[in-house]
PDB file of all heavy atoms in Angstrom:
ATOM      1  N   VAL A   4      -1.010   7.580   1.123  1.00 96.00           N
ATOM      2  CA  VAL A   4      -1.683   8.689   0.480  1.00 96.00           C
ATOM      3  C   VAL A   4      -0.702   9.382  -0.467  1.00 96.00           C
ATOM      4  O   VAL A   4       0.399   9.744  -0.055  1.00 96.00           O
ATOM      5  CB  VAL A   4      -2.203   9.698   1.533  1.00 96.00           C
ATOM      6  CG1 VAL A   4      -2.858  10.888   0.847  1.00 96.00           C
ATOM      7  CG2 VAL A   4      -3.175   9.013   2.479  1.00 96.00           C
ATOM      8  N   TYR A  33      -9.623  14.234   3.501  1.00 95.00           N
ATOM      9  CA  TYR A  33      -9.608  15.522   4.184  1.00 95.00           C
ATOM     10  C   TYR A  33      -8.483  16.362   3.578  1.00 95.00           C
ATOM     11  O   TYR A  33      -7.407  15.859   3.291  1.00 95.00           O
ATOM     12  CB  TYR A  33      -9.313  15.348   5.682  1.00 95.00           C
ATOM     13  CG  TYR A  33     -10.263  14.421   6.400  1.00 95.00           C
ATOM     14  CD1 TYR A  33     -10.117  13.028   6.312  1.00 95.00           C
ATOM     15  CD2 TYR A  33     -11.296  14.923   7.187  1.00 95.00           C
ATOM     16  CE1 TYR A  33     -10.982  12.172   6.970  1.00 95.00           C
ATOM     17  CE2 TYR A  33     -12.158  14.065   7.858  1.00 95.00           C
ATOM     18  CZ  TYR A  33     -11.997  12.699   7.741  1.00 95.00           C
ATOM     19  OH  TYR A  33     -12.862  11.848   8.408  1.00 95.00           O
ATOM     20  N   TYR A  35      -6.129  19.777   4.377  1.00 97.00           N
ATOM     21  CA  TYR A  35      -5.680  20.734   5.384  1.00 97.00           C
ATOM     22  C   TYR A  35      -4.700  21.706   4.736  1.00 97.00           C
ATOM     23  O   TYR A  35      -3.992  21.368   3.793  1.00 97.00           O
ATOM     24  CB  TYR A  35      -4.967  20.022   6.540  1.00 97.00           C
ATOM     25  CG  TYR A  35      -5.881  19.294   7.490  1.00 97.00           C
ATOM     26  CD1 TYR A  35      -6.356  18.014   7.192  1.00 97.00           C
ATOM     27  CD2 TYR A  35      -6.275  19.877   8.688  1.00 97.00           C
ATOM     28  CE1 TYR A  35      -7.208  17.351   8.075  1.00 97.00           C
ATOM     29  CE2 TYR A  35      -7.116  19.221   9.579  1.00 97.00           C
ATOM     30  CZ  TYR A  35      -7.574  17.957   9.256  1.00 97.00           C
ATOM     31  OH  TYR A  35      -8.413  17.305  10.136  1.00 97.00           O
ATOM     32  N   GLN A  37      -1.515  24.459   5.625  1.00 92.00           N
ATOM     33  CA  GLN A  37      -0.550  24.919   6.618  1.00 92.00           C
ATOM     34  C   GLN A  37       0.126  26.161   6.076  1.00 92.00           C
ATOM     35  O   GLN A  37       0.948  26.075   5.164  1.00 92.00           O
ATOM     36  CB  GLN A  37       0.485  23.833   6.924  1.00 92.00           C
ATOM     37  CG  GLN A  37       1.438  24.209   8.036  1.00 92.00           C
ATOM     38  CD  GLN A  37       2.369  23.061   8.382  1.00 92.00           C
ATOM     39  OE1 GLN A  37       2.837  22.342   7.507  1.00 92.00           O
ATOM     40  NE2 GLN A  37       2.636  22.886   9.669  1.00 92.00           N
ATOM     41  N   LEU A 105      -6.032   9.529  10.968  1.00 91.00           N
ATOM     42  CA  LEU A 105      -5.907  10.018   9.602  1.00 91.00           C
ATOM     43  C   LEU A 105      -4.516   9.665   9.083  1.00 91.00           C
ATOM     44  O   LEU A 105      -3.525   9.763   9.812  1.00 91.00           O
ATOM     45  CB  LEU A 105      -6.096  11.535   9.531  1.00 91.00           C
ATOM     46  CG  LEU A 105      -7.447  12.099   9.960  1.00 91.00           C
ATOM     47  CD1 LEU A 105      -7.509  13.596   9.674  1.00 91.00           C
ATOM     48  CD2 LEU A 105      -8.587  11.375   9.284  1.00 91.00           C
TER      49      LEU A 105
ATOM     50  N   TYR B  36       0.028  13.660  17.067  1.00 96.00           N
ATOM     51  CA  TYR B  36       0.650  13.316  15.796  1.00 96.00           C
ATOM     52  C   TYR B  36       2.074  13.851  15.794  1.00 96.00           C
ATOM     53  O   TYR B  36       2.367  14.858  16.445  1.00 96.00           O
ATOM     54  CB  TYR B  36      -0.122  13.929  14.626  1.00 96.00           C
ATOM     55  CG  TYR B  36      -1.324  13.118  14.192  1.00 96.00           C
ATOM     56  CD1 TYR B  36      -2.491  13.102  14.952  1.00 96.00           C
ATOM     57  CD2 TYR B  36      -1.289  12.366  13.019  1.00 96.00           C
ATOM     58  CE1 TYR B  36      -3.583  12.351  14.563  1.00 96.00           C
ATOM     59  CE2 TYR B  36      -2.386  11.613  12.610  1.00 96.00           C
ATOM     60  CZ  TYR B  36      -3.525  11.613  13.395  1.00 96.00           C
ATOM     61  OH  TYR B  36      -4.612  10.861  13.007  1.00 96.00           O
ATOM     62  N   ARG B  43       6.254  12.131   6.553  1.00 93.00           N
ATOM     63  CA  ARG B  43       4.894  12.641   6.615  1.00 93.00           C
ATOM     64  C   ARG B  43       4.363  12.595   8.032  1.00 93.00           C
ATOM     65  O   ARG B  43       4.862  11.847   8.878  1.00 93.00           O
ATOM     66  CB  ARG B  43       3.989  11.866   5.662  1.00 93.00           C
ATOM     67  CG  ARG B  43       3.928  10.380   5.885  1.00 93.00           C
ATOM     68  CD  ARG B  43       3.113   9.694   4.789  1.00 93.00           C
ATOM     69  NE  ARG B  43       3.829   9.651   3.518  1.00 93.00           N
ATOM     70  CZ  ARG B  43       3.246   9.330   2.362  1.00 93.00           C
ATOM     71  NH1 ARG B  43       1.953   9.085   2.312  1.00 93.00           N
ATOM     72  NH2 ARG B  43       3.949   9.286   1.248  1.00 93.00           N
ATOM     73  N   TYR B  86       2.081  17.569  17.032  1.00 96.00           N
ATOM     74  CA  TYR B  86       0.778  18.218  16.975  1.00 96.00           C
ATOM     75  C   TYR B  86      -0.205  17.479  17.867  1.00 96.00           C
ATOM     76  O   TYR B  86      -0.343  16.255  17.792  1.00 96.00           O
ATOM     77  CB  TYR B  86       0.209  18.184  15.550  1.00 96.00           C
ATOM     78  CG  TYR B  86       0.919  19.065  14.562  1.00 96.00           C
ATOM     79  CD1 TYR B  86       1.928  18.555  13.757  1.00 96.00           C
ATOM     80  CD2 TYR B  86       0.560  20.406  14.408  1.00 96.00           C
ATOM     81  CE1 TYR B  86       2.586  19.354  12.836  1.00 96.00           C
ATOM     82  CE2 TYR B  86       1.209  21.214  13.487  1.00 96.00           C
ATOM     83  CZ  TYR B  86       2.210  20.680  12.708  1.00 96.00           C
ATOM     84  OH  TYR B  86       2.851  21.467  11.788  1.00 96.00           O
ATOM     85  N   THR B  95     -17.607  13.572  12.042  1.00 71.00           N
ATOM     86  CA  THR B  95     -17.147  13.519  10.662  1.00 71.00           C
ATOM     87  C   THR B  95     -15.763  12.919  10.602  1.00 71.00           C
ATOM     88  O   THR B  95     -15.278  12.607   9.522  1.00 71.00           O
ATOM     89  CB  THR B  95     -17.079  14.934  10.057  1.00 71.00           C
ATOM     90  OG1 THR B  95     -16.152  15.723  10.814  1.00 71.00           O
ATOM     91  CG2 THR B  95     -18.437  15.600  10.076  1.00 71.00           C
ATOM     92  N   LEU B  98     -10.145  16.150  12.291  1.00 90.00           N
ATOM     93  CA  LEU B  98      -9.341  16.490  13.450  1.00 90.00           C
ATOM     94  C   LEU B  98      -9.065  17.990  13.454  1.00 90.00           C
ATOM     95  O   LEU B  98      -8.812  18.592  12.418  1.00 90.00           O
ATOM     96  CB  LEU B  98      -8.021  15.736  13.432  1.00 90.00           C
ATOM     97  CG  LEU B  98      -8.100  14.221  13.524  1.00 90.00           C
ATOM     98  CD1 LEU B  98      -6.708  13.610  13.451  1.00 90.00           C
ATOM     99  CD2 LEU B  98      -8.780  13.797  14.820  1.00 90.00           C
TER     100      LEU B  98
END
Side-chain angles (χ1 to χ4, degrees):
Chain A
V4 178
Y33 304 80
Y35 285 82
Q37 185 175 39
L105 298 186
Chain B
Y36 277 75
R43 57 186 73 193
Y86 290 95
T95 61
L98 297 178

